Structure formats: C-alpha cells, structure tokens
C-alpha cells in the first residue's frame, strides 16, 4: 500500500483544475448578478457577459495588441537591465564588507524612493518615449534583486566555503562556483518581485503620460468618460492574465532549476 | 620505504575574540608517516578542529609550522582533502551526488572526471546514487558521498574531522569498516580526529591523545591490532580492551596546560 | 579609533556623493537638476507650511488606513482559509490571478466606479491585500506536522489553535507579505494622486511639474523617500519584536525591505 502515500499530490493535482474553474465561475456569477441586479452601478461594473466578449474583441484588435506588446516588452527589457546591474552589484556588496559599509548609506537613501514618484520628473527630463518608462522600471526593479542577492550571500554556509577552499578552490572561483549557485534561488525570488514592480511602474507611467504607447494608456483612453468600461475591465483582466502567466512561468523555472532547494523551502 | 607525510612542529593557535584571546592549541608536535592512519583523540572543545584547520591551511596558525611531504604549508595545499563532521553542510545541495564528487576535479577532462567519480562512488557502495541530490540520501549515505569526494581527489593526506559523529551507531560501524577497507585498497594516509576513544583505537595505527584546551599531545600509543580488524572480534580482544582503558586513563588524568608548564 | 573607522566607512562615500552632486549641479546650472542645498531649502519651506495639513496628512492617512485594512482583512482571511485545502483549491488560483493584476490598473477602474474624490482608499486596499493574504495562507499551510499533532493531543480549542499556533508559525511569512503590501500601498498612493486627486503629495508633484518648480518637485520626491524609509523601519521594528522568539537568521534574511 506504500504507493498510496505518493498519490495524494497527483489526486489533488487533477482535482485542482476543476476546483479552480469552479472558483472562477463563482466569481463571474456573483459579478454578473451584482451588475444585473443593480447592486453596483451597472454602467461601471459591466457584467462578465459583456466583458468576456470584449476580451475576445480586444485580443483581435491590433491597436490593443500593439499596446500590450509595448508594455510587456518595456517590462522585460527593464527587468533584464535590472538583473545585469543588481546581481553583480549584490555579489560585490555581499562579499566585500568594506564596499558594503561604504555604499549602504547611499543605497539606503535611494531605495525607499518609490519609482512612481519619479514619473513627473522623468517625463520632464526625457519625454514620453519608451526609454523613460524603462529607466523608471529599472530603478524600481533593482532593489529586490540587489537585496536578495546580498542577503543570500550573508546566508552562505561557511562550511560550504571551507569545503571548497580545502579542495583548492580560489577566491573568485568560490564566488562563482559556491556563492552564486547557493544564492540563485533567492535571486530568482527577487526577480519575481522585480517583475511585478517593473510591470507596475511601466503601467503607471503609461497611465500618467498620455503620450506613452502601452496598456496603461489604452485603458486610460477607454476609461475617459466611462464610455468603454467593458474594455477597461477586459484590458485589466488580460493584464492580470499576463502577470499570472509570467509568475507561473518563473515559478516553474524555479521548481525546475532549483529542485535541490525544495527541502529548504524558499523565501517568498 | 617509510617517509614522513606530515610534520607538525610546535603548533599553536590563539583565537582573538572580543572578550580576550583564547588559546585553542599549544605546542603540538607530531608526525604522520606515509600510508599511516593516525587518530587524534581529545575531549570536545579541546581544539581538534582547530588543529585540522591549521593543517589544511584554512586558518593561519599563530605559532609553529606544518609541513606536508617536506613543503611548509602556507595557504591550502593542493593535494589534501577534508571530510567534515557535518555532511549535510559540507555537501553542496545544488549539485547532484555525481557532481559533488566531481567538484574538486576541475583540472581533469570531462571523461576522466566522470570515471574517477564513478570509481570513488563504487568504492563507497554508492554506484547507483550519482544522479540523486544529497538531501535525497540518508545521513550515512551522505557521509559516504563526502568520503567518496575526498577519495576521488586522491589526496596525499586525508583529513577527517569527527567524520562519524553524526550518524547512528550501526551506520558508524559500517563507515568505520568502509574507511579501513578503502584506505587499505588505496593506500591513503589519513589523519582522523575524534572524541570517541573506542573509535580511535579501532581505526588507528597510532593514537595521539590530546589534553584539555589548549590541546597538547599527552601520549602517542602504537596500536598493534594488525591490518584486518572487525567490529566484533577486534573490539572484544584483550589488546583492544587494554588500549582503550589506557587511552581513557590518559584522557581523565590528562593535566590541563596550566599544570604542564 | 576602530569605532571612528566604521563610522567613516559608513558616511564618507555618502558625504562625497552629496558634495559631488552639489558641485556638479551648481556648475552645470541645469534647471532639471537643482543642487541639493536648494532642494533642502525648498523642503524646509514647503514641508512644514500649510501643505503639511492640506496634502501630507490626508494622503498619508489614506495610505496608512488602506494598508492597515488590507493587512487586517488579509491576515484574517488567510488564517481562516489557509488551513483548508478545499477552500484554497477553489480560491487559490483566483487570489493568485487578482494578485497578478498590475495594481496601478486598479486606478482607472476605481476612478470610474467610485469617483475621483474617494477612489484612493479602495484602490490601496484592493491592491495591497493580495500579498498579505497569500503569504498568510502560505504560512498557515506550513505549520509542521508535529505542531499539528501536539495541538490535537492537547485538545486545543479552535481559537487557541488559530491564534496560539497557526498565527505565530505563519508570522515570518506574514511579515514578508506585509512588507510587499506596504510598498504597493505607497506606490498606489502616489500613482492615485498623480492621476486624480484634490490633494496629496502626488497631487503636488503634478502641480510642480506644471509650474516647472523643480526644487520643490525634488523636495516632494525626497519626502516620499523619507516616508518610505520611515514606514519600512517601523514595520521592521514591529517585526523584530513579534519574531524575537525566532532563531536569529530566519528573519534577518527576510529583513529585505522592498523598494519600488
Ligand atoms: N573562530 C573561533 N573564534 C574563537 N574561538 C574559537 C573559534 N573556533 C573555535 N574556538 C574555540 O576554540 C576552542 C577549540 O575549538 P575546536 O577546535 O572547534 O574544538 P574541538 O574540535 O576539539 O571540539 C573552543 O573553546 C572554541 O570555543
Ligand atoms: Mg570539532
């Protein structure tokens, strides 16, 4: 009967799909009833029976797809730049105490500034082009990766380092062969947080600056005067699905790359 | 042809801590000949790990010298391997068993690395575990992996820091016999540190008895138990019982460093 | 001597950075980059003027109120649902989807439904609730089997079980969620005020942008940084207190205040 012990995960795995659909259907039902019965002003909270067709419509609308693509592209570029800056930065700050002490005051000063607070300034200086929102998103996305990398190095097991050094591993090799792999799951957790922040900053910039092409601007336009609330809701739902897919993708990547980390659990 | 593998002369180390200096080891002098298995036995906290860390170049001792086959140790020597007590922390969790064993073999070609690691894993009876991750193995198996990693490196000197202190008694017996077998087969020179008197007598060709902190060598006993040993007959032999009583007596009466002066 | 060394290491680079910033901006005389001394003067003039009561207090109270409500609802719901596999099987994906909606996109929706004057609070609550809720669920799920069995053996009441065992076990995760929720709250406060609000710091950022009053704009940005730092530090202090029973490292690692 031992095999039964291994089973429940797959059983609940197959059950979870319909269960989650039931949950979603429940939401739609409540939403539909709420807007049909006028519990919420119907003008604004369009019922799903209108939003779902609007979603299909948007997915066939070139203008919308271009906007979506612009937003996603800006987010991904910003994320990549942030990784390229923050991972080496975190490794240096995490492994050289002198550099860390010297730089932390400046970092502590810069980090708490919400990047959305820089939107009006950035628009004045660099205009409404895509580089503005990318730069802002890089600024916001830097910190989780930087700090996760740095803190992961603090957690580096000294016995791992000693073992490697006892086998003749040099200091730089310890950084790349021991510190980096053992920090990698934390770094990826940072990347996940950073993706969320980068997307939020890009969308915020688009919402605020009418001239910036993207999802935020598309929705803001549809929203003006409450004329196309079905499109506003549909666009928001699609954005949620994109975020969901990205997060699920990164989670799967984590499970695949860092199976070894499973028993230690991960920081979220 | 006997030649000296390890020569430790007047070795001493003082840790500098916030609340003052602490002498962990002091005036340690001994040698280990090639092919020998020497056990160092001493009470917990007396400085055994400090001794091994000094020999392996992980810390720079404050006094004295260590030479490995005639060369003074300064930094980590190239042909030395260490097995730590805490296998769960000394194996790299992000590498498979196979890759853990291959880890120190960077200079070799891929094919050679695979072959060596395979051989070493076979020697410890883990030929089929290469693709697993360390945490998927039991404690005893993990320590076998750590031993295999050290063996695959083919060190001139193998240092072991209480290697069997974290496994259950049954597994410890198995691993002790495994160590005796592989060192006979591969003719490895081993310096093993333990706080377990029986273990030191059972494994060693020679036993060095250390005093309480700061550790000094209070006696060096030759163990005449021969090459072939086994857990039941050897442990009940008169010679064994006599030796362990002697070591126990030395440990109990071992003068602390202050009285030695 | 040694103490002074550490102090110097901490502040020398900062002091040099500020000095260089001052010198470069002075010699460049670029309108967009006023020297820090001018920003400081603008801050002294503006922060403690009537703007304090008109813009800082209302905006910050909306943010703190929204964050607090999101935290309370999120933790309560998370504790109730987290121990039920069935509930989370139905609701988990839904919550995850809600969390995935970029929070700023809630602004247009609430702008239309609730109106410019009162959309701040619902936006912040709706945006900030998901990280706390999902992390609480995660923490509640992770109560180890031994604790579950101990609680059963002692026949703990439901309330004792939730408040005495599940809540403390989940606390480290809850705080990790709270930190994320806090930075989302701050982002939503600013973006909400940027897009449509009669008052608030974001509102002042828009005004100074229109007036090209860059020193004052920079001073508002600095104020947001100060507030972000302050709230994060407060949360960390609460966390240290609440998790003092934990072995040290487990919350040091998570002590990552999140920027944004
Ligand atoms: N890094 C260190 N700093 C200060 N004191 C240490 C350090 N490492 C070990 N010690 C002290 O030195 C003594 C010997 O330690 P150790 O060599 O680990 O003993 P053993 O391995 O025999 O148990 C102990 O009293 C221990 O507290
Ligand atoms: Mg020790």
């Amino acid at each position: 009967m031992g095999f039964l012990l291994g089973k429940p995960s797959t059983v609940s795995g197959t059950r979870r799909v319909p269960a989650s659909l039931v949950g979603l259907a429940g939401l739609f039902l409540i939403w539909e009833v709420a807007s049909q019965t006028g519990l919420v002003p119907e003008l604004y909270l369009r019922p799903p029976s209108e939003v779902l067709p609007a979603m299909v419509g948007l997915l066939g609308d070139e203008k919308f797809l271009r906007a979506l693509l612009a937003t996603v592209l800006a987010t991904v570029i910003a994320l990549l730049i942030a990784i390229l800056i923050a991972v080496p930065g975190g490794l240096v700050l995490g492994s050289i105490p002198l550099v860390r002490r010297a730089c932390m005051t400046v970092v502590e000063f810069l980090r708490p500034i919400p990047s959305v607070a820089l939107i009006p300034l950035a628009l004045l200086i660099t205009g409404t082009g895509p580089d503005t929102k990318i730069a802002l998103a890089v600024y916001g996305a830097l910190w989780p990766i930087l700090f996760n990398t740095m803190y992961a190095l603090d957690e580096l097991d000294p016995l791992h380092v000693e073992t490697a050094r006892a086998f003749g591993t040099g200091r730089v090799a310890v950084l790349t062969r021991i510190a980096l792999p053992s920090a990698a799951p934390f770094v990826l957790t940072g990347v996940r947080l950073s993706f969320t922040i980068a997307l939020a900053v890009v969308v915020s910039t688009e919402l605020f600056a009418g001239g910036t092409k993207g999802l935020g601007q598309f929705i803001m336009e549809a929203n003006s005067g409450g004329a196309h609330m079905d499109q506003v809701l549909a666009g928001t739902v699609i954005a949620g699905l994109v975020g969901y897919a990205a997060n699920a993708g990164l989670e799967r990547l984590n499970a695949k790359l860092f199976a070894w980390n499973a028993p230690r659990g991960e920081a979220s | 042809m006997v030649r000296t593998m390890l020569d430790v002369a007047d070795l001493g180390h003082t840790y500098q801590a916030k609340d003052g200096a602490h002498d962990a080891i002091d005036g340690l002098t001994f040698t280990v000949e090639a092919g020998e298995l020497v056990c160092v036995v001493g009470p917990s906290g007396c400085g055994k790990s400090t001794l091994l860390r000094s020999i392996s170049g992980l810390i720079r001792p404050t006094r004295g010298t260590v030479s490995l086959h005639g060369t003074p140790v300064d930094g980590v020597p190239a042909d030395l391997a260490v097995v730590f007590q805490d296998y769960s922390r000394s194996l790299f969790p992000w590498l498979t068993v196979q890759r853990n064993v291959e880890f120190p073999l960077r200079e070799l070609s891929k094919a050679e690395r695979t072959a060596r690691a395979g051989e070493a894993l076979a020697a410890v009876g883990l030929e089929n575990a290469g693709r697993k991750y360390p945490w998927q193995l039991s404690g005893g198996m993990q320590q076998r992996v750590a031993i295999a990693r050290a063996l695959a490196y083919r060190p001139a000197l193998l240092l072991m820091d209480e290697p069997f202190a974290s496994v259950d008694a049954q597994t410890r017996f198995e691993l002790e016999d495994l160590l005796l077998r592989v060192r006979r087969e591969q003719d490895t020179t081993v310096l093993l540190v333990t706080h377990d008197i029986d273990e030191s007598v059972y494994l060693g060709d020679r036993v060095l008895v250390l005093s309480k902190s700061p550790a000094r060598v209070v006696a060096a006993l030759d163990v005449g138990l021969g090459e072939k040993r086994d857990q039941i007959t050897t442990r009940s032999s008169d010679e064994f019982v006599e030796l362990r009583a002697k070591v126990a007596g030395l440990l109990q009466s071992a003068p602390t460093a202050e009285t030695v002066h | 001597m040694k103490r002074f060394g550490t102090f110097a290491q901490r502040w020398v680079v900062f002091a040099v950075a500020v000095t260089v910033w001052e010198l470069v901006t002075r010699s460049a005389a670029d309108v967009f980059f006023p020297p820090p001394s001018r920003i400081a003067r603008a801050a002294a003039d503006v922060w403690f003027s009537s703007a304090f009561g008109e813009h800082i207090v209302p905006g910050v109270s909306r943010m703190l109120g929204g964050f607090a409500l999101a935290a309370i609802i999120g933790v309560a719901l998370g504790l109730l649902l987290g121990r039920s596999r069935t509930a989370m099987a139905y609701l988990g994906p839904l919550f995850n989807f809600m969390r995935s909606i970029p929070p700023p996109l809630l602004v247009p929706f609430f702008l239309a439904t609730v109106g410019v004057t009162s959309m701040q609070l619902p936006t912040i609550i709706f945006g900030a609730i998901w990280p706390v809720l999902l992390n609480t669920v995660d923490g509640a799920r992770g109560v180890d089997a031994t604790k579950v069995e101990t609680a059963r053996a002692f026949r703990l009441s439901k309330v004792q079980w939730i408040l005495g065992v599940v809540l403390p076990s989940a606390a480290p995760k809850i705080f990790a969620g709270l930190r994320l929720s806090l930075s989302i709250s701050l982002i939503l406060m600013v973006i909400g005020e940027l897009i449509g609000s009669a008052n608030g710091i974001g509102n002042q950022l828009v005004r100074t942008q229109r007036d090209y009053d860059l020193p004052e704009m920079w001073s508002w940005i600095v104020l947001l940084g100060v507030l972000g730092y302050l709230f994060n530090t407060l949360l960390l202090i609460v966390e240290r207190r609440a998790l003092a029973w934990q072995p040290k490292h487990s919350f040091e690692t998570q002590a990552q205040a999140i920027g944004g």
Side-chain angles (χ1 to χ4, degrees):
Chain A
M1 292 308 280
F3 69 94
L4 270 181
L5 289 174
K7 277 282 177 195
S9 61
T10 48
V11 169
S12 68
T14 49
R15 265 184 52 202
R16 197 169 294 147
V17 179
S20 65
L21 287 183
V22 172
L24 214 62
L27 173 83
F28 281 145
L29 197 71
I30 295 171
W31 176 4
E32 183 81 37
V33 170
S35 60
Q36 295 287 1
T37 55
L39 210 67
V40 184
E42 200 209 335
L43 174 62
Y44 302 122
L45 191 62
R46 310 302 297 160
S49 52
E50 285 177 35
V51 172
L52 289 179
M55 269 174 72
V56 177
L58 283 185
L59 289 174
D61 178 356
E62 199 192 312
K63 190 168 160 242
F64 174 80
L65 289 180
R66 275 179 192 281
L68 185 64
L69 190 68
T71 300
V72 171
L73 218 57
T75 307
V76 170
I77 292 172
L79 192 64
L80 291 178
I81 297 175
I83 292 172
L84 285 180
I85 300 173
V87 171
L91 284 179
V92 169
L93 288 181
S95 56
I96 310 175
L98 179 71
V99 177
R100 176 150 168 187
R101 273 197 297 276
C103 294
M104 273 326 267
T105 316
V106 178
V107 170
E108 291 292 351
F109 185 77
L110 292 176
R111 171 178 64 158
I113 299 174
S115 44
V116 287
L118 300 172
I119 293 177
L121 179 67
L123 287 171
L124 275 187
I125 299 172
T126 54
T128 55
D131 40 342
T132 303
K133 60 185 175 189
I134 291 175
L136 287 167
V138 169
Y139 184 86
L142 274 182
W143 310 114
I145 305 176
L146 185 80
F147 276 78
N148 268 30
T149 311
M150 205 169 76
Y151 285 132
L153 286 202
D154 292 350
E155 291 294 294
L156 181 58
D157 191 328
L159 197 58
H160 284 155
V161 178
E162 284 205 343
T163 306
R165 285 190 48 217
F167 283 113
T169 312
R171 283 187 190 274
V172 177
V174 166
L175 208 59
T176 55
R177 295 184 73 199
I178 306 295
L180 197 57
S182 90
F186 292 93
V187 177
L188 189 64
T189 306
V191 170
R192 266 162 71 184
L193 285 174
S194 290
F195 175 83
T196 309
I197 289 174
L199 183 59
V201 174
V202 167
V203 168
S204 297
T205 315
E206 293 162 357
L207 284 175
F208 181 69
T212 314
K213 287 266 170 305
L215 192 59
Q217 180 243 16
F218 183 93
I219 287 178
M220 208 58 191
E221 233 168 56
N223 192 41
S224 55
H228 299 287
M229 272 315 280
D230 53 342
Q231 285 197 359
V232 172
L233 285 170
T236 306
V237 170
I238 291 174
L241 291 176
V242 169
Y244 189 90
N247 221 340
L250 286 172
E251 209 160 301
R252 188 161 298 179
L253 191 69
N254 179 43
K256 208 174 151 170
L257 289 180
F258 305 130
W260 59 266
N261 196 39
R264 300 203 312 183
E266 59 165 305
S268 46
Chain B
M1 184 198 88
V2 179
R3 73 196 158 86
T4 302
M5 182 57 76
L6 178 72
D7 189 348
V8 174
D10 201 26
L11 188 70
H13 189 75
T14 307
Y15 285 112
Q16 297 296 345
K18 280 196 199 85
D19 47 350
H22 175 81
D23 283 332
I25 53 177
D26 196 23
L28 280 173
T29 302
F30 63 89
T31 57
V32 177
E33 305 304 322
E36 215 182 2
L37 195 166
V38 174
C39 287
V40 175
V41 62
S44 279
C46 77
K48 302 183 296 295
S49 295
T50 307
L51 169 64
L52 284 201
R53 286 152 55 90
S54 303
I55 295 173
S56 58
L58 288 171
I59 55 175
R60 190 184 287 271
T62 29
R63 299 175 294 281
T65 55
V66 175
S67 315
L68 191 61
H69 42 62
T71 327
V73 168
D74 179 29
V76 180
D79 45 3
L80 176 142
V82 187
V83 173
F84 293 97
Q85 171 184 343
D86 202 344
Y87 48 81
S88 64
R89 287 172 53 212
S90 94
L91 294 177
F92 304 120
W94 56 90
L95 299 177
T96 59
V97 164
Q98 174 84 21
R99 298 242 176 252
N100 259 290
V101 177
E102 288 177 12
F103 179 89
L105 310 176
R106 280 247 284 186
E107 261 104 83
L108 304 182
S109 71
K110 179 83 191 98
E112 268 180 298
R113 248 183 291 166
T114 316
R116 274 244 210 135
E119 245 170 65
L121 281 171
V124 299
L126 284 178
E127 46 277 270
N128 296 322
R131 290 175 162 204
K132 295 209 164 114
Y133 283 97
W135 49 269
Q136 295 172 309
L137 305 178
S138 70
M141 283 157 101
Q142 291 185 37
Q143 194 59 306
R144 280 170 200 246
V145 177
I147 294 171
R149 180 171 62 185
L151 292 175
Y153 194 55
R154 300 207 182 135
L157 176 66
L158 172 57
L159 299 175
M160 304 182 96
D161 190 355
E162 310 210 29
F164 312 132
S166 300
V167 296
D168 61 86
Q170 184 59 42
T171 310
R172 176 183 312 184
F173 288 165
E174 281 170 29
L175 290 178
E176 283 170 1
D177 287 335
L178 174 111
L179 176 66
L180 287 178
R181 176 171 59 75
V182 294
R183 83 111 180 174
R184 216 168 37 223
E185 286 168 5
Q186 314 203 347
D187 204 24
T188 319
T189 311
V190 183
L191 181 67
L192 183 145
V193 148
T194 177
H195 66 260
D196 182 327
I197 299 168
D198 287 21
E199 181 169 276
S200 68
V201 174
Y202 183 71
L203 290 176
D205 299 328
R206 216 147 42 94
V207 176
L208 301 177
V209 184
L210 297 188
S211 67
K212 289 206 194 75
S213 183
R216 290 158 172 274
V217 181
V218 289
L221 306 172
D222 282 318
V223 180
L225 291 171
E227 280 245 304
K228 288 264 177 204
R229 305 180 187 189
D230 80 81
Q231 296 287 354
I232 297 166
T233 48
T234 308
R235 279 178 193 267
S236 53
S237 70
D238 294 343
E239 168 110 47
F240 181 90
V241 175
E242 201 176 298
L243 268 169
R244 62 175 289 209
K246 205 164 169 187
V247 174
L250 280 165
L251 277 174
Q252 293 212 334
S253 66
T256 55
E258 284 86 306
T259 54
V260 161
H261 271 287
Chain C
M1 191 61 212
K2 179 132 199 212
R3 281 182 81 93
F4 177 76
T6 332
F7 178 83
Q9 281 168 7
R10 271 184 208 291
W11 290 98
V12 160
V13 173
F14 183 77
V16 169
V18 174
T19 314
V20 169
W21 180 17
E22 176 81 34
L23 292 178
V24 169
T25 44
R26 263 197 209 180
S27 66
D30 187 325
V31 255
F32 295 125
F33 296 97
S37 53
R38 281 214 55 202
I39 299 173
R41 225 175 313 129
D45 288 346
V46 180
W47 291 3
F48 306 104
S49 68
S50 59
F52 185 80
E54 276 167 37
H55 296 290
I56 301 177
V57 172
V60 170
S61 8
R62 281 190 299 247
M63 188 223 117
L64 288 179
F67 169 67
L69 280 171
I72 293 168
I73 303 171
V75 171
L77 265 184
L79 287 178
L80 290 177
L81 298 175
R83 291 302 302 171
S84 159
R85 251 174 206 289
T86 336
M88 282 318 288
Y90 286 95
L91 297 173
L94 193 62
F95 291 164
N96 261 314
F97 165 72
M98 296 291 202
R99 190 223 343 228
S100 306
I101 297 176
L105 278 185
L106 301 170
V107 173
F109 174 73
F110 282 109
L111 201 60
T113 47
V114 192
V116 180
T117 44
S118 45
M119 61 105 172
Q120 302 278 346
L121 200 62
T123 312
I124 293 173
I125 296 174
F126 197 86
I129 195 171
W130 309 111
V132 204
L133 173 58
L134 285 164
N135 268 36
T136 309
V137 166
D138 210 22
R141 252 190 203 161
V143 180
D144 61 73
T146 318
K147 289 211 188 69
V148 176
E149 279 166 11
T150 314
R152 279 228 194 105
F154 285 121
R155 305 167 62 84
L156 291 191
S157 72
K158 196 92 190 152
V159 177
Q160 276 176 314
W161 159 242
I162 298 263
L163 294 183
V165 180
V166 181
L167 182 62
S169 313
K173 290 245 164 173
I174 293 179
F175 276 103
L178 283 175
R179 267 196 303 273
L180 193 53
S181 291
L182 182 66
S183 48
I184 291 179
S185 304
L186 200 62
I187 290 178
L188 284 177
M189 171 187 99
V190 176
I191 187 69
E193 290 168 355
L194 284 178
I195 291 173
S197 170
N199 53 17
I201 300 174
N203 171 281
Q204 289 304 293
L205 280 171
V206 181
R207 182 184 62 73
T208 51
Q209 185 199 29
R210 222 181 310 121
D211 298 350
Y212 264 72
D213 186 347
L214 277 127
E216 192 184 331
M217 180 190 260
W218 277 85
S219 82
W220 289 118
I221 294 172
V222 172
L223 179 63
L224 282 168
V226 171
L227 290 174
Y229 183 80
L230 199 71
F231 296 144
N232 242 322
T233 309
L234 285 177
L235 189 60
L236 265 179
I237 292 172
V238 175
E239 175 172 354
R240 292 246 158 88
R241 280 269 166 107
L243 300 185
W245 51 272
Q246 278 225 326
K248 182 173 164 278
H249 71 276
S250 35
F251 68 89
E252 286 288 346
T253 18
Q254 299 178 348
Q256 60 211 28
I258 291 144

